[in-house]
Amino acid sequence: MALDTAWVTAWINRSTEVISENRVALITLDRDIGDGDHGENMDRGFQAVSTKLDTLSPDATPGDALKLVATTLISTVGGAAGPLYGTAYLKAAAAVGSAPELDGAAIVALLTAARDGIVLRGKAESGDKTMVDAWTPAVEAAEIAQQAGSSEVEILAAAADAAEAGAVATEPLVARKGRASYLGERAIGHRDPGAQSSALLLRAAADTAAGE
Amino acid sequence: MALDTAWVTAWINRSTEVISENRVALITLDRDIGDGDHGENMDRGFQAVSTKLDTLSPDATPGDALKLVATTLISTVGGAAGPLYGTAYLKAAAAVGSAPELDGAAIVALLTAARDGIVLRGKAESGDKTMVDAWTPAVEAAEIAQQAGSSEVEILAAAADAAEAGAVATEPLVARKGRASYLGERAIGHRDPGAQSSALLLRAAADTAAGE
Amino acid sequence: MKKLINDPKNVVNEAVAGFEAAHPDLVRVSHDPIYIVRADAPVKGKVGIVSGGGSGHEPLHGGFVGSGMLDAAVPGPVFTSPTPDPILAATQAVDGGVGVLHIVKNYTGDVLNFETAADLAAAEGIDVRSVIVDDDVAVKDSLYTAGRRGVAGTVLVEKIAGAAAERGDDLDAVAAVATKVNSQVRSMGVALTPCVVPHAGEPSFTLADDEIEIGIGIHGEPGRERIRMEPADAIVDRILAPIIDDIPFASGDSVLLFVNGMGGTPQVELYIVFRRAAEVLAEKGITVTRTLVGNFTTSLEMQGASITVLKLDDELTALWDAPVHTAALRWGK
Amino acid sequence: MKKLINDPKNVVNEAVAGFEAAHPDLVRVSHDPIYIVRADAPVKGKVGIVSGGGSGHEPLHGGFVGSGMLDAAVPGPVFTSPTPDPILAATQAVDGGVGVLHIVKNYTGDVLNFETAADLAAAEGIDVRSVIVDDDVAVKDSLYTAGRRGVAGTVLVEKIAGAAAERGDDLDAVAAVATKVNSQVRSMGVALTPCVVPHAGEPSFTLADDEIEIGIGIHGEPGRERIRMEPADAIVDRILAPIIDDIPFASGDSVLLFVNGMGGTPQVELYIVFRRAAEVLAEKGITVTRTLVGNFTTSLEMQGASITVLKLDDELTALWDAPVHTAALRWGK
Ligand SMILES: Nc1ncnc2c1ncn2[C@@H]1O[C@H](COP(=O)(O)OP(=O)(O)O)[C@@H](O)[C@H]1O
Ligand SMILES: Nc1ncnc2c1ncn2[C@@H]1O[C@H](COP(=O)(O)OP(=O)(O)O)[C@@H](O)[C@H]1O
Ligand SMILES: [Mg+2]
Ligand SMILES: [Mg+2]
Ligand SMILES: [Mg+2]
Ligand SMILES: [Mg+2]
């Protein structure tokens, strides 16, 4: 069962919910090793996205919906996360083109393009303790699942599991990008807020695909 | 046994001690209903007086010693207490003139002049919750004791007792002069810091006269 | 207590030394007794203006020494009036032969110490006039108090009197304009947090996490009432009303609106306060034609703000606009 | 959390509205998207200068909009970089036809958002150049960090670049002088207390009663080390040494010494810090020829200070001395 625009909008709505629910948790993570605004920034952005969603035309493609997310996040989130997530959704939109439905290969392409967009803008490598550390394992897990012939739902679930594990795995790291890099050894023991929000977004993708 | 310059210098030295010991207590009282500097101001002043005492000539009269206290307090205490106490000692010095020794009448004159000096500068009346509420009962008690034929030591002890009672009696009052007057009803329940320091100074006078 | 200080006893000494090092073009400093005079003092033929009071309210008064404002500032210990000696010395140092005006905030200590200094200066042949500033409407001006306190309105008195002296007004005229400003200016403040006097080492009062003090004095003296925390707009309405009612300011008036930070207030908050105050004045038909926003009369690190409104006329406006060159207020040159 | 605010979401909106009401002679304000431009923008034939970043550092940047300094400031939410939209709009609003310089503090968010805005402006045919400010020696400039942060030195870059633009330098020249100032300025700060971001409602970090944070960032990001409270002179020695060693400043140099308050620091403390810093520089044979003391790059109500040293030459000195007329910095007119 390929995923269509209804899934993308469900994903967006669920993302808005979980970001709002996790607003304080993300602020707390960012307060520990950053400047305490990540939850606020993401929440402001997704609230705006969910308002903008009403303007989406009924015959919009998944790519159209993703592009709307991208431009709205770029113009409302600010901070580091705004341009990074904005670029991720922009590249994801480009990767899926005008396809009305997304099969497993398209989902993998979407995730890969999103991750590549983040790396293009932020120049972070794996292990730098950033959102990349959630996205790269997610992309890899999605690829493996797709090559093993998994369904779209299974691919997204594998990606979400890997992103969550990746977010947890940022805890022992020293940061080399973003504000946490100023902290040196003191960042050890804290989870990266951007990796955590990435895991939340990918879990929202998987859950909505599974119809949960 | 009339009191001489040795007594005045003993009184001054004891005053320096008790003010220093009560520095924090006076700050606390002033913090409650003023600006928290009375202990600091008085301590700075008496430290300066005790240093200046070395410059007193060996044949100085009690009046000379009191005048030295006056000018030193005026130029080191600041705030409201500086000019008020300064004037008190200045008028006290004038009242005892160049007498080498002070009998009971002279002690009463000294105390009366001091109180009158404070009233002259500060225009406070009894019950305004100021240092006057320690000095006026002290003057009255001293007069009564002197008329009853008490010794200088007894006169000063009566003054000190009355001053202490007067300081305590400021507690239920609303202030009508000084910073505490801004507080209205909220000053009730707090002892006036200047009345308290006055009681300390008069107790020092009595104790040193008694040779304690 | 955490402060960027060395020995608490040296706070004023060292701050004044730093001020001297930072502004050698503007001021000269006497270290014993402590006072600050403008670099070119005494200015022959000009009325000298001296102000002062306890330290801890900076930039008041040292930050206002310079051409077009004060000739001298006399900083006492923190929150404690200076003694007469430095006031006298400063008065002598700025006497340009045509008299000196003392601008004194209405606190018993300041009034008494300046009074003594004025007497001593008069004995030295200097013509001294004093103007007492008492702009704080939080305190009732009655026989049963020490009278209203002098707070942030002092800055406006000093600026305008300074301009009058600079343009050559004689002592009577300078004193008259200072008196006029004082009669037309009213202020009231609010504290969110207390301040800590260095030698005391403990907060001068306490406020619960949801309490604020309306009508606070600039030494942390309690105000009119202690209330629950409210939104900024409600607080502004609360402290602006007694100001507007007091003079009374009337529709059609032109005013200077001055929002003053108490020392520890972020600037965004001062502008949020300004926004609402301007709105309320506009609603009453009062036109804000001059403005001032910032930390000008502080209480160490206290968080909070005060609002000051000065009724303007053409003369006061022109004197406000006249050039001033001090560490804290500068324009026109 | 007690703050003079209404809804935390409206802090920036309302503060900007207050700023507009307080300084109508200096600035015009766009409310959607939010940016502040000088009243006479765009100035034809003059290079436009735009800066911006998260709010909470006031007067940086809005307080520096006016003749001789910034043409526009773009305030983001508190401590959060603005998005590209307002940066683009501000860039367009100040384009006088000869290009626009973006002055950007080196934080990932600011750099990325200004980068996007610059790309969009270029697509609209505006010649945009960017200078990244990274003066904070508390952070190592290595491949393993996001690089040094931009802190109070930004004020000096903005003033001097602004003066170069005002005298008619072209875009290359203005960018070159901004780059030069950045290469010759170094800063480091200390925090005694944390700050509270309005939407977070809790302190951004905690410090024990006897702890201070050396090398603090202006968003409350932790610094180099957390140590026991020390006397001011010892703290100054500690934060000045890495500054002097970094460039390296040498005996015989002339410098501008800038002591910046973090927002909640009493002014006496800033002058105590200045006094010691000037002393240490003098001991090293470095001559302080220009000075600045005050709250210019703040972190809301944080208590603490930073020291900035800029190596001067005749050109930079002349540009520093050039007239400036903004809400927070004004001289020469
Ligand atoms: N160069 C980078 N590459 C990838 N991700 C980054 C980079 N810099 C920061 N991030 C991510 O951004 C998150 C912080 O976002 P946010 O708090 O919204 O922005 P800011 O740091 O500007 O306050 C970090 O937790 C990290 O995951
Ligand atoms: N007008 C007055 N007459 C008499 N005593 C006064 C008057 N005003 C203030 N005082 C006394 O001064 C004391 C405060 O002194 P102090 O704290 O040193 O000065 P300040 O109020 O200037 O800080 C009060 O407790 C009160 O006893
Ligand atoms: Mg952040
Ligand atoms: Mg007191
Ligand atoms: Mg006092
Ligand atoms: Mg941020």
Side-chain angles (χ1 to χ4, degrees):
Chain A
M1 183 207 73
L3 296 167
D4 58 9
T5 305
W7 165 66
V8 181
T9 58
W11 176 21
I12 292 169
N13 286 326
R14 179 65 60 87
S15 299
T16 306
E17 277 164 41
V18 297
I19 291 294
S20 169
E21 283 159 22
N22 285 274
R23 179 179 162 277
V24 173
L26 294 172
I27 284 176
T28 305
L29 289 180
D30 196 32
R31 201 182 309 125
D32 288 342
I33 56 169
D35 60 351
D37 60 0
H38 187 60
E40 179 72 13
N41 297 346
M42 294 297 289
D43 188 37
R44 183 176 53 245
F46 271 95
Q47 295 296 339
V49 171
S50 107
T51 307
K52 272 280 175 66
L53 217 47
D54 302 342
T55 67
L56 202 65
S57 95
D59 50 358
T61 61
D64 293 335
L66 291 168
K67 187 156 180 221
L68 179 133
V69 178
T71 54
T72 309
L73 292 184
I74 288 175
S75 65
T76 57
V77 175
L84 292 169
Y85 276 123
T87 306
Y89 283 92
L90 206 58
K91 299 291 180 187
V96 300
S98 55
E101 297 208 321
L102 310 179
D103 60 10
I107 294 292
V108 171
L110 182 164
L111 297 175
T112 307
R115 191 269 317 270
D116 290 350
I118 294 168
V119 171
L120 178 78
R121 289 310 301 271
K123 317 237 157 33
E125 295 173 17
S126 289
D128 282 358
K129 193 170 184 133
T130 70
M131 51 176 75
V132 171
D133 293 331
W135 283 92
T136 290
V139 167
E140 286 166 2
E143 270 169 0
I144 290 168
Q146 197 252 333
Q147 278 156 19
S150 304
S151 70
E152 290 78 18
V153 172
E154 287 162 350
I155 292 170
L156 283 167
D161 290 347
E164 279 170 4
V168 172
T170 63
E171 291 180 8
L173 300 178
V174 167
R176 284 191 293 248
K177 283 281 182 272
R179 274 175 215 286
S181 71
Y182 309 138
L183 273 167
E185 308 273 304
R186 287 204 266 173
I188 292 174
H190 297 279
R191 189 176 305 182
D192 177 63
Q196 178 67 12
S197 62
S198 297
L200 293 171
L201 296 177
L202 289 169
R203 176 60 64 202
D207 285 353
T208 48
E212 279 162 24
Chain B
M1 182 208 72
L3 295 165
D4 58 8
T5 306
W7 165 66
V8 181
T9 58
W11 176 21
I12 292 168
N13 285 326
R14 179 65 61 87
S15 299
T16 306
E17 276 165 41
V18 298
I19 290 294
S20 168
E21 282 159 23
N22 285 275
R23 178 179 163 276
V24 173
L26 294 171
I27 284 176
T28 306
L29 289 179
D30 196 32
R31 201 183 307 125
D32 287 343
I33 57 169
D35 60 352
D37 60 0
H38 187 59
E40 178 73 12
N41 297 346
M42 294 298 287
D43 189 36
R44 183 175 53 243
F46 272 96
Q47 295 298 337
V49 172
S50 109
T51 307
K52 271 280 176 66
L53 217 48
D54 301 343
T55 67
L56 201 67
S57 94
D59 50 359
T61 61
D64 293 335
L66 291 168
K67 186 154 180 223
L68 179 133
V69 177
T71 53
T72 309
L73 292 183
I74 289 175
S75 64
T76 57
V77 174
L84 292 169
Y85 275 124
T87 306
Y89 283 93
L90 206 57
K91 299 291 179 186
V96 301
S98 55
E101 297 209 322
L102 310 179
D103 60 11
I107 293 292
V108 170
L110 181 164
L111 297 175
T112 307
R115 190 270 319 267
D116 291 350
I118 293 168
V119 172
L120 178 79
R121 290 309 301 272
K123 319 240 157 25
E125 295 173 17
S126 287
D128 282 358
K129 195 171 184 130
T130 70
M131 52 176 74
V132 172
D133 293 331
W135 283 92
T136 291
V139 167
E140 287 166 2
E143 271 168 0
I144 291 169
Q146 197 251 334
Q147 278 155 17
S150 302
S151 70
E152 289 78 20
V153 173
E154 287 161 350
I155 292 170
L156 284 167
D161 289 347
E164 279 169 4
V168 172
T170 63
E171 291 179 10
L173 300 177
V174 167
R176 285 192 293 249
K177 283 279 182 273
R179 276 175 214 286
S181 70
Y182 309 138
L183 272 167
E185 309 272 303
R186 287 205 266 172
I188 291 173
H190 297 279
R191 188 175 305 182
D192 177 63
Q196 178 67 12
S197 61
S198 297
L200 293 172
L201 296 177
L202 289 169
R203 176 61 63 203
D207 285 353
T208 48
E212 279 162 22
Chain C
M1 176 190 65
K2 281 187 285 186
K3 288 180 177 290
L4 286 169
I5 62 174
N6 298 298
D7 185 336
K9 294 214 183 304
N10 293 331
V11 165
V12 178
N13 292 336
E14 293 181 357
V16 168
F19 191 79
E20 180 180 27
H23 307 293
D25 51 326
L26 280 175
V27 299
R28 280 182 291 121
V29 165
S30 158
H31 291 278
D32 188 16
I34 297 182
Y35 62 86
I36 300 169
V37 293
R38 56 189 270 185
D40 56 352
V43 183
K44 280 269 163 295
K46 189 187 89 67
V47 170
I49 305 191
V50 177
S51 191
S55 293
H57 309 302
E58 290 67 27
L60 191 80
H61 301 272
F64 301 127
V65 173
S67 84
M69 208 161 167
L70 298 181
D71 293 85
V74 188
V78 174
F79 287 4
T80 299
S81 163
T83 64
D85 308 19
I87 304 173
L88 171 62
T91 302
Q92 293 172 314
V94 306
D95 174 30
V98 294
V100 175
L101 178 71
H102 285 178
I103 298 178
V104 185
K105 301 193 295 301
N106 189 35
Y107 299 95
T108 308
D110 293 82
V111 171
L112 294 180
N113 285 287
F114 269 89
E115 202 171 275
T116 305
D119 289 349
L120 295 170
E124 307 274 330
I126 302 176
D127 197 2
V128 178
R129 211 66 49 86
S130 298
V131 171
I132 309 287
V133 182
D134 61 346
D135 55 318
D136 184 1
V137 296
V139 172
K140 278 205 225 79
D141 185 16
S142 85
L143 284 177
Y144 305 108
T145 68
R148 286 200 313 247
R149 301 173 292 212
V151 292
T154 312
V155 177
L156 311 186
V157 176
E158 294 180 357
K159 167 64 182 84
I160 290 175
E166 204 73 43
R167 75 175 175 193
D169 284 14
D170 66 17
L171 183 57
D172 282 339
V174 175
V177 82
T179 304
K180 176 173 162 187
V181 175
N182 184 57
S183 73
Q184 299 192 176
V185 68
R186 293 296 182 273
S187 303
M188 188 152 154
V190 58
L192 275 56
T193 64
C195 54
V196 180
V197 178
H199 59 71
E202 274 177 64
S204 44
F205 56 101
T206 50
L207 281 170
D209 273 355
D210 62 345
E211 272 181 350
I212 60 175
E213 180 81 36
I214 300 288
I216 191 80
I218 58 171
H219 310 87
E221 309 97 324
R224 280 199 173 189
E225 47 174 351
R226 187 164 288 196
I227 62 165
R228 282 288 160 91
M229 185 64 200
E230 290 182 344
D233 286 359
I235 296 172
V236 169
D237 293 357
R238 202 182 266 279
I239 65 178
L240 192 52
I243 293 174
I244 297 177
D245 292 349
D246 196 88
I247 292 222
F249 291 93
S251 180
D253 281 353
S254 289
V255 300
L256 185 159
L257 173 59
F258 169 23
V259 172
N260 175 60
M262 304 304 280
T265 316
Q267 208 185 80
V268 277
E269 298 181 29
L270 299 183
Y271 280 106
I272 288 173
V273 167
F274 186 93
R275 175 191 138 279
R276 177 63 187 168
E279 226 168 65
V280 173
L281 290 170
E283 280 163 19
K284 304 228 175 251
I286 298 170
T287 311
V288 175
T289 57
R290 293 294 182 275
T291 66
L292 187 65
V293 182
N295 290 319
F296 292 103
T297 302
T298 62
S299 298
L300 295 168
E301 69 276 70
M302 187 189 284
Q303 279 183 263
S306 63
I307 298 178
T308 296
V309 183
L310 167 66
K311 184 167 163 172
L312 289 172
D313 57 23
D314 289 348
E315 187 199 16
L316 297 189
T317 304
L319 289 169
W320 176 256
D321 289 344
V324 58
H325 184 182
T326 69
L329 221 54
R330 180 171 180 180
W331 55 75
K333 55 171 85 173
Chain D
M1 176 190 64
K2 282 188 284 189
K3 288 181 177 287
L4 286 169
I5 63 174
N6 297 298
D7 185 337
K9 294 214 184 303
N10 293 332
V11 165
V12 176
N13 292 336
E14 294 181 356
V16 168
F19 191 80
E20 180 180 26
H23 307 293
D25 52 326
L26 279 175
V27 300
R28 280 182 291 121
V29 164
S30 158
H31 292 277
D32 188 17
I34 298 182
Y35 61 86
I36 300 169
V37 292
R38 55 188 271 186
D40 56 352
V43 183
K44 280 269 163 298
K46 188 187 88 68
V47 170
I49 305 192
V50 177
S51 191
S55 292
H57 308 302
E58 290 67 27
L60 193 78
H61 301 271
F64 301 127
V65 174
S67 85
M69 209 159 166
L70 297 181
D71 292 84
V74 188
V78 174
F79 287 4
T80 298
S81 163
T83 63
D85 309 21
I87 305 173
L88 171 62
T91 302
Q92 292 171 315
V94 306
D95 175 29
V98 294
V100 175
L101 179 70
H102 286 178
I103 298 178
V104 185
K105 302 194 294 303
N106 189 35
Y107 299 95
T108 307
D110 294 82
V111 170
L112 294 180
N113 285 288
F114 269 89
E115 203 172 274
T116 304
D119 289 349
L120 296 169
E124 307 275 330
I126 302 176
D127 197 3
V128 178
R129 212 66 49 86
S130 299
V131 171
I132 309 287
V133 183
D134 62 345
D135 55 318
D136 184 1
V137 296
V139 172
K140 278 206 224 81
D141 185 15
S142 85
L143 284 178
Y144 305 108
T145 69
R148 286 197 315 243
R149 302 173 292 213
V151 292
T154 311
V155 177
L156 310 187
V157 176
E158 294 180 357
K159 166 65 183 84
I160 290 175
E166 204 74 42
R167 77 176 174 193
D169 284 14
D170 66 17
L171 183 56
D172 281 339
V174 175
V177 81
T179 304
K180 177 174 161 187
V181 174
N182 184 57
S183 73
Q184 300 193 175
V185 67
R186 292 295 182 274
S187 303
M188 188 153 155
V190 58
L192 275 55
T193 65
C195 53
V196 179
V197 178
H199 60 71
E202 275 177 63
S204 45
F205 56 99
T206 51
L207 281 171
D209 273 356
D210 62 344
E211 271 181 350
I212 59 176
E213 180 81 36
I214 299 288
I216 192 80
I218 58 172
H219 309 87
E221 310 96 323
R224 281 199 174 189
E225 47 174 348
R226 189 163 285 197
I227 62 165
R228 283 287 161 90
M229 186 62 199
E230 291 182 344
D233 285 0
I235 296 172
V236 170
D237 293 358
R238 205 182 265 278
I239 65 179
L240 191 53
I243 293 174
I244 298 178
D245 292 349
D246 196 86
I247 293 220
F249 291 93
S251 178
D253 281 353
S254 290
V255 299
L256 186 159
L257 173 57
F258 169 22
V259 172
N260 174 60
M262 303 304 280
T265 316
Q267 206 184 81
V268 277
E269 298 181 30
L270 299 183
Y271 281 106
I272 289 173
V273 167
F274 186 93
R275 174 192 139 277
R276 177 62 186 167
E279 226 168 65
V280 173
L281 290 170
E283 280 164 18
K284 304 228 177 250
I286 298 169
T287 311
V288 175
T289 57
R290 292 296 180 276
T291 66
L292 187 65
V293 182
N295 290 319
F296 292 102
T297 302
T298 61
S299 298
L300 296 167
E301 70 276 69
M302 187 189 286
Q303 280 183 261
S306 63
I307 299 177
T308 296
V309 183
L310 167 65
K311 184 168 164 171
L312 290 172
D313 56 23
D314 290 347
E315 187 198 16
L316 297 188
T317 304
L319 289 168
W320 176 255
D321 289 344
V324 59
H325 184 182
T326 69
L329 220 53
R330 181 171 180 181
W331 54 76
K333 55 171 85 174

